[in-house]
Amino acid sequence: MSPPTVPAPRPIALVLVAVIELLEAVGMAVLAALSIAAGPGSRYPPTAYGVGGTLLLAAALLVLVAVGTLRARSWSRTPGLVWQIVQVLVGLYTFQGQGAQPGLGLVAIVPGVVAAVLLLTRPVREATARRSSQS
């Protein structure tokens, strides 16, 4: 009988990525609620509801990615990285035009860059590496 294997502790970078993803999901849910609440008074209520629903769906999917990251699942790296890239691009977009909101852009860009860099670090890659014993 072999001794039980003790799971390796989660790298702090992995936990930080999961926390960032969860905070981003909360932010998306807040934006969704604001969009839905503004629906009746907006110029195009169906559009406001559609945007709110889309944001809620994105927030729910981001929660799933965060849980996968926290559990060190290999599949969670790709959607996590793709989300961070999209978020950084959206943040950059908020710096342009007459309605530019640099503060909102920084709120999107900083966590996006931090999470993307952490996802590419060796401890996170090793923790989420696919193992032959995993299904």
Side-chain angles (χ1 to χ4, degrees):
M1 179 184 232
S2 63
T5 59
V6 177
R10 290 185 185 107
I12 189 71
L14 186 73
V15 175
L16 285 174
V17 170
V19 168
I20 290 170
E21 290 170 343
L22 285 173
L23 289 173
E24 291 168 347
V26 168
M28 295 281 289
V30 168
L31 289 176
L34 291 174
S35 178
I36 292 169
S42 70
R43 189 170 175 184
Y44 301 104
T47 301
Y49 297 139
V51 168
T54 302
L55 290 172
L56 276 178
L57 178 63
L61 293 174
L62 196 52
V63 167
L64 293 176
V65 171
V67 169
T69 300
L70 194 58
R71 293 182 177 174
R73 301 294 191 243
S74 61
W75 61 263
S76 67
R77 285 180 300 186
T78 301
L81 189 57
V82 168
W83 176 258
Q84 302 313 320
I85 291 168
V86 169
Q87 182 172 304
V88 167
L89 292 175
V90 169
L92 290 173
Y93 179 74
T94 64
F95 282 93
Q96 301 176 359
Q98 286 183 331
Q101 297 183 2
L104 184 60
L106 287 175
V107 169
I109 292 169
V110 171
V113 169
V114 170
V117 169
L118 289 174
L119 279 167
L120 298 173
T121 60
R122 175 170 279 159
V124 173
R125 285 184 292 123
E126 288 175 354
T128 58
R130 189 178 302 257
R131 291 168 187 81
S132 60
S133 63
Q134 287 181 336
S135 56

mmCIF file of all heavy atoms in Angstrom, residues 17-19 21-22 61-71 76:
data_model
loop_
_atom_site.group_PDB
_atom_site.id
_atom_site.type_symbol
_atom_site.label_atom_id
_atom_site.label_comp_id
_atom_site.label_asym_id
_atom_site.label_seq_id
_atom_site.Cartn_x
_atom_site.Cartn_y
_atom_site.Cartn_z
ATOM 1 N N VAL A 17 -4.619 35.170 -9.764
ATOM 2 C CA VAL A 17 -5.343 35.189 -11.040
ATOM 3 C C VAL A 17 -6.815 34.867 -10.807
ATOM 4 O O VAL A 17 -7.703 35.540 -11.345
ATOM 5 C CB VAL A 17 -4.721 34.203 -12.058
ATOM 6 C CG1 VAL A 17 -5.614 34.048 -13.275
ATOM 7 C CG2 VAL A 17 -3.345 34.653 -12.475
ATOM 8 N N ALA A 18 -7.094 33.856 -10.006
ATOM 9 C CA ALA A 18 -8.485 33.482 -9.727
ATOM 10 C C ALA A 18 -9.228 34.623 -9.031
ATOM 11 O O ALA A 18 -10.385 34.912 -9.367
ATOM 12 C CB ALA A 18 -8.530 32.214 -8.880
ATOM 13 N N VAL A 19 -8.575 35.293 -8.089
ATOM 14 C CA VAL A 19 -9.207 36.417 -7.389
ATOM 15 C C VAL A 19 -9.475 37.560 -8.371
ATOM 16 O O VAL A 19 -10.558 38.165 -8.356
ATOM 17 C CB VAL A 19 -8.332 36.885 -6.205
ATOM 18 C CG1 VAL A 19 -8.807 38.221 -5.659
ATOM 19 C CG2 VAL A 19 -8.324 35.829 -5.122
ATOM 20 N N GLU A 21 -9.929 37.325 -11.586
ATOM 21 C CA GLU A 21 -11.031 36.915 -12.469
ATOM 22 C C GLU A 21 -12.377 37.024 -11.759
ATOM 23 O O GLU A 21 -13.369 37.443 -12.359
ATOM 24 C CB GLU A 21 -10.794 35.498 -12.985
ATOM 25 C CG GLU A 21 -9.659 35.405 -13.975
ATOM 26 C CD GLU A 21 -9.248 33.991 -14.324
ATOM 27 O OE1 GLU A 21 -9.608 33.040 -13.589
ATOM 28 O OE2 GLU A 21 -8.561 33.828 -15.344
ATOM 29 N N LEU A 22 -12.424 36.652 -10.495
ATOM 30 C CA LEU A 22 -13.676 36.778 -9.737
ATOM 31 C C LEU A 22 -14.074 38.239 -9.564
ATOM 32 O O LEU A 22 -15.258 38.588 -9.686
ATOM 33 C CB LEU A 22 -13.554 36.098 -8.380
ATOM 34 C CG LEU A 22 -13.615 34.574 -8.401
ATOM 35 C CD1 LEU A 22 -13.309 34.001 -7.027
ATOM 36 C CD2 LEU A 22 -14.981 34.099 -8.870
ATOM 37 N N LEU A 61 -19.712 33.147 -17.084
ATOM 38 C CA LEU A 61 -18.640 32.347 -17.697
ATOM 39 C C LEU A 61 -17.288 32.670 -17.071
ATOM 40 O O LEU A 61 -16.450 31.785 -16.888
ATOM 41 C CB LEU A 61 -18.610 32.567 -19.209
ATOM 42 C CG LEU A 61 -19.828 32.044 -19.962
ATOM 43 C CD1 LEU A 61 -19.771 32.455 -21.430
ATOM 44 C CD2 LEU A 61 -19.948 30.538 -19.829
ATOM 45 N N LEU A 62 -17.086 33.924 -16.724
ATOM 46 C CA LEU A 62 -15.829 34.308 -16.082
ATOM 47 C C LEU A 62 -15.708 33.689 -14.693
ATOM 48 O O LEU A 62 -14.612 33.336 -14.258
ATOM 49 C CB LEU A 62 -15.719 35.830 -16.017
ATOM 50 C CG LEU A 62 -14.347 36.414 -15.736
ATOM 51 C CD1 LEU A 62 -13.295 35.857 -16.690
ATOM 52 C CD2 LEU A 62 -14.390 37.922 -15.836
ATOM 53 N N VAL A 63 -16.818 33.526 -14.004
ATOM 54 C CA VAL A 63 -16.793 32.831 -12.708
ATOM 55 C C VAL A 63 -16.351 31.383 -12.916
ATOM 56 O O VAL A 63 -15.541 30.850 -12.145
ATOM 57 C CB VAL A 63 -18.173 32.895 -12.012
ATOM 58 C CG1 VAL A 63 -18.238 31.927 -10.839
ATOM 59 C CG2 VAL A 63 -18.457 34.310 -11.532
ATOM 60 N N LEU A 64 -16.873 30.737 -13.960
ATOM 61 C CA LEU A 64 -16.456 29.359 -14.252
ATOM 62 C C LEU A 64 -14.956 29.281 -14.539
ATOM 63 O O LEU A 64 -14.275 28.357 -14.084
ATOM 64 C CB LEU A 64 -17.244 28.800 -15.435
ATOM 65 C CG LEU A 64 -18.735 28.575 -15.209
ATOM 66 C CD1 LEU A 64 -19.400 28.118 -16.502
ATOM 67 C CD2 LEU A 64 -18.957 27.566 -14.103
ATOM 68 N N VAL A 65 -14.439 30.248 -15.273
ATOM 69 C CA VAL A 65 -13.004 30.271 -15.568
ATOM 70 C C VAL A 65 -12.212 30.474 -14.279
ATOM 71 O O VAL A 65 -11.184 29.817 -14.062
ATOM 72 C CB VAL A 65 -12.676 31.377 -16.600
ATOM 73 C CG1 VAL A 65 -11.177 31.559 -16.764
ATOM 74 C CG2 VAL A 65 -13.316 31.051 -17.941
ATOM 75 N N ALA A 66 -12.683 31.359 -13.403
ATOM 76 C CA ALA A 66 -11.986 31.602 -12.141
ATOM 77 C C ALA A 66 -11.961 30.348 -11.272
ATOM 78 O O ALA A 66 -10.940 30.032 -10.655
ATOM 79 C CB ALA A 66 -12.653 32.757 -11.386
ATOM 80 N N VAL A 67 -13.077 29.633 -11.230
ATOM 81 C CA VAL A 67 -13.118 28.382 -10.455
ATOM 82 C C VAL A 67 -12.162 27.367 -11.061
ATOM 83 O O VAL A 67 -11.424 26.680 -10.343
ATOM 84 C CB VAL A 67 -14.560 27.831 -10.384
ATOM 85 C CG1 VAL A 67 -14.581 26.430 -9.818
ATOM 86 C CG2 VAL A 67 -15.436 28.766 -9.562
ATOM 87 N N GLY A 68 -12.131 27.267 -12.389
ATOM 88 C CA GLY A 68 -11.188 26.366 -13.048
ATOM 89 C C GLY A 68 -9.744 26.748 -12.766
ATOM 90 O O GLY A 68 -8.886 25.888 -12.549
ATOM 91 N N THR A 69 -9.478 28.041 -12.736
ATOM 92 C CA THR A 69 -8.124 28.504 -12.425
ATOM 93 C C THR A 69 -7.755 28.136 -10.992
ATOM 94 O O THR A 69 -6.658 27.632 -10.740
ATOM 95 C CB THR A 69 -8.027 30.031 -12.621
ATOM 96 O OG1 THR A 69 -8.336 30.349 -13.981
ATOM 97 C CG2 THR A 69 -6.644 30.540 -12.293
ATOM 98 N N LEU A 70 -8.669 28.386 -10.073
ATOM 99 C CA LEU A 70 -8.391 28.065 -8.668
ATOM 100 C C LEU A 70 -8.169 26.570 -8.473
ATOM 101 O O LEU A 70 -7.361 26.158 -7.645
ATOM 102 C CB LEU A 70 -9.541 28.554 -7.788
ATOM 103 C CG LEU A 70 -9.285 28.595 -6.295
ATOM 104 C CD1 LEU A 70 -8.089 29.477 -5.967
ATOM 105 C CD2 LEU A 70 -10.518 29.083 -5.571
ATOM 106 N N ARG A 71 -8.851 25.756 -9.260
ATOM 107 C CA ARG A 71 -8.678 24.297 -9.189
ATOM 108 C C ARG A 71 -7.513 23.812 -10.039
ATOM 109 O O ARG A 71 -7.294 22.611 -10.165
ATOM 110 C CB ARG A 71 -9.955 23.601 -9.629
ATOM 111 C CG ARG A 71 -11.096 23.821 -8.669
ATOM 112 C CD ARG A 71 -12.318 23.079 -9.116
ATOM 113 N NE ARG A 71 -13.392 23.238 -8.146
ATOM 114 C CZ ARG A 71 -14.616 22.795 -8.331
ATOM 115 N NH1 ARG A 71 -14.937 22.165 -9.447
ATOM 116 N NH2 ARG A 71 -15.526 22.983 -7.416
ATOM 117 N N SER A 76 -8.479 26.183 -18.139
ATOM 118 C CA SER A 76 -8.823 27.535 -17.689
ATOM 119 C C SER A 76 -7.834 28.605 -18.158
ATOM 120 O O SER A 76 -8.173 29.788 -18.158
ATOM 121 C CB SER A 76 -8.918 27.570 -16.168
ATOM 122 O OG SER A 76 -7.650 27.356 -15.585
#
